[in-house]
Amino acid sequence: MFDLSIAEMPGEPPESEQVVTVRPDGGLELLDSVDIAVVPGWHGLNEAPPPELVAALVRCHDRGAHVVGLCYGTYALSLCRAA
């Protein structure tokens, strides 16, 4: 089984293009303890993720967690390497 936690960027409440309410469980510190981190989408295909998100994802990967990009989330992950 999985425990699902939704992390948010500091000062940026999660948004949805549909009529969905997203209630985060915490900030990027949640990525320091997960086994799998999923970036489900990204809003700007040519916009690199903010440095604090890049750092959190790199820490997550470096400690052995799986970091996954779904759909446009793969763009965010690829841009992490360029950031």
Side-chain angles (χ1 to χ4, degrees):
M1 287 292 152
F2 290 93
D3 289 325
L4 174 66
S5 297
I6 298 173
E8 71 175 333
M9 290 287 303
E12 295 184 31
E15 296 180 4
S16 171
E17 292 179 10
Q18 305 299 321
V19 183
V20 175
T21 301
V22 179
R23 297 185 200 278
D25 298 298
L28 296 178
E29 71 279 354
L30 292 174
L31 296 179
D32 291 331
S33 61
V34 299
D35 295 321
I36 303 170
V38 178
V39 180
W42 195 245
H43 54 274
L45 300 185
N46 295 314
E47 181 181 333
E52 51 272 324
L53 177 56
V54 172
L57 290 170
V58 168
R59 280 194 316 272
C60 192
H61 176 266
D62 285 351
R63 65 177 180 72
H66 297 280
V67 180
V68 180
L70 295 180
C71 197
Y72 288 153
T74 57
Y75 285 86
L77 292 181
S78 71
L79 291 168
C80 281
R81 297 296 287 160

